[in-house]
């Protein structure tokens, strides 16, 4: 009986040691799993942050690119619109000049008085002799006949399409088109520019996801066209209010300050008419809101992906 008691007693320490070893093994396994899960969480968070950063940069670039393409398209459309307006009678005038018979100054003046009607309600023309003296002019401005125009800069420059200048008749902004008539004579046509406001006003700026305003400024910064009719009528020198311009980015977009707000802009010189600049602008905060709206959806997708990915790895480890 005593021997049996000693045998039973001696097995108790062995079982205790075995139990402690098993618990230690389980503890180590649990500890390893915890560390793996923690590592997966860290990797998941780091991966999410990196993916979100890359996605943010890509999304911002894509939105800016789309806005720039829209604004550039509007600028090109405006340029084509103005060129078509200024040169709308080009072929007709060239045909009249091609049929001009040889003759003296008087016959040339008479020919244009009979064959060149008013091209537009506010347009004017002048036929000049070899010395720049007016031979013939549009109806209602006969008092200009005999006046020497040779001193005018846009005439002496010899440019086919002049810079914007003040009309000799109405004192309004015009562009002069110059045509050679042979023997030193020239035909000078003033194209009224006040008529372009309704044309540009119909220009549609679509795409980019944000509202865009377009306007045109002269070389001096004065408003030539603006959707705000009050500003347009006042000829406000808006160019002096646009401050702190940045350099164009790779998309051609710039930013500037206007009365405490920041705007993004695309600007493009127009030719013709020389001296004018086209502007397409949007509030910078509108672009930020657009990008943030897209990023929220992107963040949800990335978060879902990494959550499923970590859950799958955790499942494989278990």
């Amino acid at each position: 009986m005593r021997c049996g008691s000693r045998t039973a007693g001696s097995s108790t320490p062995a079982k205790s040691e075995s139990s402690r070893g098993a618990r230690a093994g389980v503890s180590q396994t649990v500890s390893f799993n915890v560390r793996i899960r923690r590592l997966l969480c860290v990797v998941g968070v780091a991966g999410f942050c990196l993916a979100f950063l890359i996605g943010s940069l890509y999304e911002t670039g894509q939105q800016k690119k789309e806005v720039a393409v829209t604004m550039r398209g509007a600028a090109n459309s405006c340029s084509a619109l103005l060129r078509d307006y200024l040169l709308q009678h080009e072929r007709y005038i060239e045909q009249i000049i091609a049929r001009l018979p040889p003759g003296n100054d008087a016959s040339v003046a008479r020919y244009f008085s009979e064959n060149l009607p008013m091209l537009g309600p506010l347009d004017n023309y002048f036929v000049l002799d070899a010395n720049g003296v007016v031979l013939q002019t549009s109806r209602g401005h006969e008092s200009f006949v005999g006046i020497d125009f040779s001193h005018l800069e846009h005439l002496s420059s010899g440019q086919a399409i002049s810079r914007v200048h003040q009309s000799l008749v109405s004192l309004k902004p015009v562009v002069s088109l110059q045509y050679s008539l042979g023997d030193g004579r020239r035909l000078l046509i003033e194209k009224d520019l006040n008529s372009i406001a309704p044309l540009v006003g119909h220009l549609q700026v679509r795409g980019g996801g944000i509202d865009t305003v377009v306007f045109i400024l002269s070389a001096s910064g004065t408003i030539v066209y603006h959707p705000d009719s009050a500003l347009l009528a006042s000829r406000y020198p808006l160019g002096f209010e646009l401050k702190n311009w940045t350099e164009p980015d790779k998309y051609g977009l710039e930013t500037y300050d206007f009365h405490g707000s920041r705007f993004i802009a695309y600007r493009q010189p127009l030719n013709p008419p020389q001296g004018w600049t086209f502007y397409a602008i949007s509030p910078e905060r509108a672009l930020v809101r657009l990008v943030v709206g897209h990023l929220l959806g992107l963040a949800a997708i990335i978060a879902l992906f990494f959550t499923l990915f970590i859950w799958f790895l955790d499942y494989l480890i278990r």
Side-chain angles (χ1 to χ4, degrees), residues 191-213:
K191 290 291 295 183
D192 172 68
L193 295 178
N194 285 331
S195 301
I196 70 162
L199 299 176
V200 180
H202 288 92
L203 186 66
Q204 298 293 324
V205 184
R206 296 177 178 175
I210 56 178
D211 294 332
T212 301
V213 174

Side-chain angles (χ1 to χ4, degrees), residues 265-284:
Y266 177 82
R267 52 180 173 172
Q268 177 175 305
L270 298 171
N271 187 15
Q274 289 181 308
W276 286 11
T277 303
F278 171 92
Y279 292 76
I281 67 163
S282 293
E284 191 175 48

Side-chain angles (χ1 to χ4, degrees), residues 248-268:
D249 60 18
K250 63 180 181 180
Y251 307 106
L253 297 178
E254 305 169 77
T255 61
Y256 68 88
D257 291 325
F258 178 68
H259 292 179
S261 297
R262 197 74 181 161
F263 289 81
I264 57 173
Y266 177 82
R267 52 180 173 172
Q268 177 175 305

Side-chain angles (χ1 to χ4, degrees), residues 8-297:
S10 63
S11 65
T12 301
K15 290 181 179 180
S16 177
E17 291 177 4
S18 175
S19 177
R20 285 196 297 270
R23 286 197 298 270
V26 172
S27 177
Q28 290 177 358
T29 301
V30 172
S31 178
F32 175 75
N33 288 342
V34 169
R35 288 198 296 270
I36 288 296
R37 288 191 180 94
R38 289 175 178 173
L39 179 61
L40 288 177
C41 289
V42 172
V43 170
V45 171
F48 171 82
C49 293
L50 179 62
F52 184 74
L53 176 61
I54 295 174
S56 299
L57 294 175
Y58 174 79
E59 185 66 28
T60 301
Q62 286 299 106
Q63 293 301 325
K64 292 185 71 174
K65 180 180 179 181
E66 187 175 347
V67 169
V69 168
T70 299
M71 291 181 170
R72 188 179 302 112
N76 292 336
S77 296
C78 182
S79 180
L81 188 68
L82 292 178
R83 176 174 286 275
D84 289 344
Y85 168 73
L86 293 175
L87 303 179
Q88 59 183 320
H89 301 299
E90 180 87 355
R91 183 173 298 180
Y92 174 65
I93 294 171
E94 289 176 347
Q95 289 174 351
I96 291 177
I97 294 175
R99 294 195 297 265
L100 174 66
N104 57 23
D105 289 346
S107 65
V108 171
R110 184 168 56 254
Y111 173 81
F112 279 98
S113 68
E114 296 172 352
N115 293 278
L116 186 61
M118 289 292 292
L119 302 176
L122 298 176
D123 297 341
N124 300 290
Y125 76 85
F126 304 91
V127 179
L128 311 178
D129 67 10
N131 297 316
V133 177
V134 178
L135 298 173
Q136 176 66 30
T137 183
S138 48
R139 188 173 303 171
H141 304 297
E142 290 79 4
S143 60
F144 283 87
V145 173
I147 295 180
D148 185 358
F149 281 2
S150 61
H151 64 283
L152 299 178
E153 180 182 355
H154 61 273
L155 187 64
S156 60
S157 67
Q159 293 178 320
I161 304 177
S162 75
R163 297 178 63 88
V164 179
H165 64 89
Q166 193 177 58
S167 169
L168 301 169
V169 176
S170 64
L171 304 183
K172 294 180 179 180
V174 296
V175 165
S176 290
L177 311 180
Q178 189 172 168
Y179 300 87
S180 173
L181 302 179
D183 295 328
R185 303 186 186 100
R186 282 168 287 183
L187 171 65
L188 196 65
I189 297 180
E190 286 188 348
K191 290 291 295 183
D192 172 68
L193 295 178
N194 285 331
S195 301
I196 70 162
L199 299 176
V200 180
H202 288 92
L203 186 66
Q204 298 293 324
V205 184
R206 296 177 178 175
I210 56 178
D211 294 332
T212 301
V213 174
V214 302
F215 56 87
I216 300 173
L217 300 183
S218 69
S220 63
T222 303
I223 291 176
V224 174
Y225 167 76
H226 197 283
D228 187 328
S229 57
L231 283 177
L232 178 61
S234 69
R235 297 293 180 183
Y236 184 69
L238 183 62
F240 294 103
E241 303 290 335
L242 313 181
K243 301 178 180 180
N244 301 323
W245 284 87
T246 62
E247 291 294 323
D249 60 18
K250 63 180 181 180
Y251 307 106
L253 297 178
E254 305 169 77
T255 61
Y256 68 88
D257 291 325
F258 178 68
H259 292 179
S261 297
R262 197 74 181 161
F263 289 81
I264 57 173
Y266 177 82
R267 52 180 173 172
Q268 177 175 305
L270 298 171
N271 187 15
Q274 289 181 308
W276 286 11
T277 303
F278 171 92
Y279 292 76
I281 67 163
S282 293
E284 191 175 48
R285 62 178 180 274
L287 178 61
V288 172
R289 283 198 300 265
L290 180 65
V291 172
V292 169
H294 284 83
L295 289 181
L296 290 177

